[in-house]
Amino acid sequence: MSHLWERLRELDAYPKPIEDFRIKTMIGGSVTIISTVIMVVLFISELSDFLTPKLTEELFVDTSRSHKLRINIDIEFPRVACSFLSLDAMDSSGEHQSSIEHNIFKRRVDAEGLPLSEPERTINLGDSSIGKNSSIVQEVKQNDTAVAVEACGSCYGAENKQIKCCNTCEDVKEAYRIRGWAIQNPESIQQCKGMVEDMKKVFNEGCQIYGYMEVNRVSGSFHIAPGKSFSISHVHVHDVQPYSSSQFNMTHRIRSLTFGDPIPGKAFTNPMDGVEGVAPEESMMFQYYLKIVPTMFENIDKSVLHTNQFSTTRHQKAVSMMSGESGMPGVFFLI
C-alpha cells in the first residue's frame, strides 16, 4: 500500500518548476487524476451531444390536399366473439363505411389473449361452425350423373324484391332485416344450424381486430360495436338479435392506435398504446376524443415523412333505458 502512495505522489501532469524547487505530494497527484477524469468525461459528453441529431420543432399551417387519412388499429376484446363485432366509420361529409372488411383482420382469441384460429377478414355468426359454404344444395341427375346444384332456399316468409332466395344464414338474416323482423328461433332455420353453436361462443371467447383503414381527412368517428351494422332512413343501427345490448361486456385493450405512417425511431410515444378499458358492468360505452396534428419529419438528407401525432381524452358511461343514458355499447373514437 505504501508503494502505491509513493507512485501517486510522483504522478503530476504539470511539472513546471525545476527539480530543486518541486515537491511531489499525494494531493497534487489526486488533483491530476481527478482533472484527467473530468476532461475525459466532458469530451465524451460533448462528442455524444454533437453526434446526436437535433429535433427542431416548427409550427406551420397545413396546406396539403391529401384527402385520405390512414388509421392503423390493433384492439383486443376478451369477452366478445369476432362473429358479433363490426367496425364502422362515418364522417361529416356524409360518407358511411359499415362492417369494414378490406385490410381489416379478425382473430379469435381466448380470455388470456392466446389465438384460437388464424386471422380472417370476415367471421359471420352462424357460419364458423358449419363453414361459410353452408348453403341449400340439391342433387340433379344429368345424363345419369349426379350434379350438385345450388337450390333456391326458403326465406321463411321474408322473401322480397331484393332477396328471392335464401341459401345461407346471412341471406335469411338480411331478408328478415329488410322486413323488420327478428329471428326468434334459429334452430328452426336450416341455413342457421351453425348459428346455435356460435351463439354459445359469443361470450366465451374474445377477438383481436387489427389492420388499417382509410377515411376522409375531415371530422368524423369510427367505432367497434356488437351486432351487424346497417342504415335505416339514414340512421346507423346495430342488430344484436337474438341478444340485447345490455348483455355485452366491451372490456378491451388497445394494443396500438396510430394515424399515418409510423414515426421513425419512436421519437414520440403513442398515447393510446397499451390503454385498457375495463367495463365494470355490461352495456358500457367507451368514448375516446382524439385531436390529430399533422406532422412532417424532414431528415438531414432532406427526405420527408408525413405522419400524425395526436392527443386523447377518455370517457365512459353505462347506457340503458333505466338510467336514461342514450347510446350503445362499444368503443367509439371521435376525431
Side-chain angles (χ1 to χ4, degrees), residues 120 122 124-138 148-151 166-171 190-194 198:
E120 300 181 44
T122 306
N124 292 321
L125 185 66
D127 289 343
S128 61
S129 295
I130 55 177
K132 293 185 179 181
N133 296 323
S134 312
S135 56
I136 305 298
V137 176
Q138 65 181 10
V149 179
E150 187 172 1
C166 296
N167 296 329
T168 65
C169 185
E170 283 298 307
D171 292 340
Q190 181 180 354
Q191 297 92 320
C192 294
K193 289 180 179 179
D198 282 358

Side-chain angles (χ1 to χ4, degrees), residues 79-80 84 125 182-184 195 199 202-203 225-227 238-250 281-284 319-321 327-330:
R79 300 187 182 180
V80 183
F84 230 83
L125 185 66
I183 298 178
Q184 300 296 336
M195 182 177 180
M199 287 168 59
V202 167
F203 304 113
H238 282 248
D239 180 15
V240 297
Q241 293 291 339
Y243 304 103
S244 66
S245 59
S246 60
Q247 294 180 266
F248 292 91
N249 188 313
M250 297 305 296
E281 57 184 296
E282 280 72 19
S283 192
M284 291 295 297
V319 293
S320 66
M321 298 297 293
M328 62 178 297

Side-chain angles (χ1 to χ4, degrees), residues 39-97:
M39 286 187 292
V40 171
V41 170
L42 289 176
F43 174 78
I44 295 175
S45 175
E46 291 297 323
L47 180 62
S48 175
D49 184 69
F50 174 77
L51 296 177
T52 301
K54 297 295 188 299
L55 185 62
T56 304
E57 296 185 358
E58 180 182 355
L59 185 65
F60 61 92
V61 178
D62 183 15
T63 59
S64 62
R65 295 183 177 273
S66 176
H67 297 292
K68 293 295 181 180
L69 173 66
R70 174 169 170 155
I71 304 176
N72 310 293
I73 64 170
D74 188 352
I75 306 177
E76 198 172 89
F77 295 86
R79 300 187 182 180
V80 183
C82 290
S83 58
F84 230 83
L85 289 174
S86 64
L87 171 63
D88 311 293
M90 55 196 69
D91 57 49
S92 58
S93 67
E95 181 175 329
H96 286 206
Q97 301 182 54

Side-chain angles (χ1 to χ4, degrees), residues 45 85 127 163 179 218 299:
S45 175
L85 289 174
D127 289 343
I163 300 178
R179 288 282 189 178
V218 295
N299 297 320

